[in-house]
Protein backbone atom coordinates (compact mmCIF):
# COMPACT_ATOMS: atom_id res chain seq x y z
CA UNK A 1 0.00 0.00 0.00
CA UNK A 2 1.12 3.50 -0.81
CA UNK A 3 -0.45 6.49 0.93
CA UNK A 4 -0.81 9.98 -0.53
CA UNK A 5 -2.08 13.21 0.99
CA UNK A 6 -4.58 15.08 -1.17
CA UNK A 7 -6.78 18.12 -1.02
CA UNK A 8 -9.73 19.36 -3.04
CA UNK A 9 -10.72 23.05 -3.16
CA UNK A 10 -14.13 24.16 -4.43
CA UNK A 11 -13.59 26.93 -7.03
CA UNK A 12 -17.23 27.10 -8.24
CA UNK A 13 -20.03 25.45 -6.24
CA UNK A 14 -21.00 21.99 -7.58
CA UNK A 15 -19.02 22.61 -10.77
CA UNK A 16 -15.27 23.27 -10.55
CA UNK A 17 -12.68 21.88 -8.12
CA UNK A 18 -8.91 22.10 -7.81
CA UNK A 19 -7.47 18.65 -7.01
CA UNK A 20 -3.95 18.16 -5.64
CA UNK A 21 -2.44 14.75 -4.90
CA UNK A 22 1.03 15.05 -3.36
CA UNK A 23 3.79 14.54 -5.94
CA UNK A 24 1.30 13.08 -8.48
CA UNK A 25 -1.23 15.60 -9.81
CA UNK A 26 -2.32 19.22 -9.51
CA UNK A 27 -5.13 20.52 -11.70
CA UNK A 28 -8.76 21.50 -12.11
CA UNK A 29 -11.77 19.20 -12.57
CA UNK A 30 -15.13 20.57 -13.72
CA UNK A 31 -18.49 19.59 -15.16
CA UNK A 32 -18.18 19.77 -18.94
CA UNK A 33 -21.93 20.21 -19.48
CA UNK A 34 -22.34 17.07 -21.59
CA UNK A 35 -24.49 15.19 -19.05
CA UNK A 36 -27.81 16.68 -17.95
CA UNK A 37 -28.04 17.40 -14.23
CA UNK A 38 -24.39 16.42 -13.69
CA UNK A 39 -23.11 17.70 -10.37
CA UNK A 40 -19.46 17.55 -9.55
CA UNK A 41 -18.67 17.00 -5.87
CA UNK A 42 -15.50 16.96 -3.81
CA UNK A 43 -15.51 13.15 -3.91
CA UNK A 44 -16.29 12.80 -7.62
CA UNK A 45 -13.55 15.29 -8.53
CA UNK A 46 -11.04 13.37 -6.40
CA UNK A 47 -12.07 9.91 -7.61
CA UNK A 48 -11.94 11.05 -11.26
CA UNK A 49 -8.30 12.06 -10.86
CA UNK A 50 -7.39 8.94 -8.87
CA UNK A 51 -8.88 6.64 -11.52
CA UNK A 52 -6.93 8.41 -14.27
CA UNK A 53 -3.59 8.55 -12.41
CA UNK A 54 -3.54 5.09 -10.77
CA UNK A 55 -4.27 1.71 -12.32
CA UNK A 56 -4.59 -0.04 -8.94
CA UNK A 57 -7.37 -0.43 -6.37
CA UNK A 58 -7.68 2.53 -4.05
CA UNK A 59 -9.54 3.88 -1.06
CA UNK A 60 -9.62 7.36 0.41
CA UNK A 61 -10.62 8.84 3.76
CA UNK A 62 -11.56 12.44 4.44
CA UNK A 63 -9.42 13.72 7.31
CA UNK A 64 -10.48 17.37 7.57
CA UNK A 65 -12.55 20.11 5.97
CA UNK A 66 -12.66 23.86 6.27
CA UNK A 67 -12.26 27.18 4.46
CA UNK A 68 -9.11 28.45 2.81
CA UNK A 69 -7.68 31.93 3.43
CA UNK A 70 -9.58 33.02 0.31
CA UNK A 71 -12.84 31.72 1.82
CA UNK A 72 -13.14 28.67 -0.45
CA UNK A 73 -14.32 25.36 0.94
CA UNK A 74 -11.75 22.56 0.98
CA UNK A 75 -11.38 18.97 2.09
CA UNK A 76 -8.21 17.02 2.84
CA UNK A 77 -7.93 13.28 2.21
CA UNK A 78 -5.54 10.39 2.65
CA UNK A 79 -5.52 8.07 -0.37
CA UNK A 80 -4.39 4.46 0.01
CA UNK A 81 -3.40 2.75 -3.24
CA UNK A 82 -2.93 -1.04 -3.37
CA UNK A 83 0.01 -1.36 -5.73
CA UNK A 84 0.38 -5.11 -5.22
CA UNK A 85 3.27 -4.91 -2.76
Amino acid sequence: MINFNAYVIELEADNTYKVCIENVYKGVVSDNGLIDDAVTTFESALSTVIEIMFSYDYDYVEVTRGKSRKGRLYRKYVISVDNGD
Side-chain angles (χ1 to χ4, degrees):
M1 289 290 241
I2 301 173
N3 293 322
F4 297 94
N5 293 311
Y7 66 89
V8 180
I9 300 172
E10 184 177 61
L11 300 177
E12 292 181 30
D14 299 329
N15 187 32
T16 306
Y17 295 84
K18 181 176 182 178
V19 178
C20 297
I21 301 174
E22 102 183 298
N23 301 320
V24 175
Y25 177 84
K26 189 176 198 178
V28 175
V29 175
S30 64
D31 174 17
N32 62 11
L34 296 177
I35 301 171
D36 290 340
D37 300 325
V39 175
T40 305
T41 64
F42 286 92
E43 290 79 17
S44 69
L46 180 62
S47 63
T48 297
V49 172
I50 294 171
E51 289 175 9
I52 291 170
M53 301 307 295
F54 301 106
S55 60
Y56 302 106
D57 290 334
Y58 68 90
D59 193 22
Y60 60 86
V61 176
E62 181 181 319
V63 292
T64 189
R65 60 173 65 183
K67 281 191 173 183
S68 71
R69 287 178 277 182
K70 293 183 178 181
R72 295 183 173 142
L73 297 175
Y74 74 85
R75 295 185 186 176
K76 290 186 179 182
Y77 299 89
V78 172
I79 304 166
S80 297
V81 178
D82 182 2
N83 64 343
D85 288 344

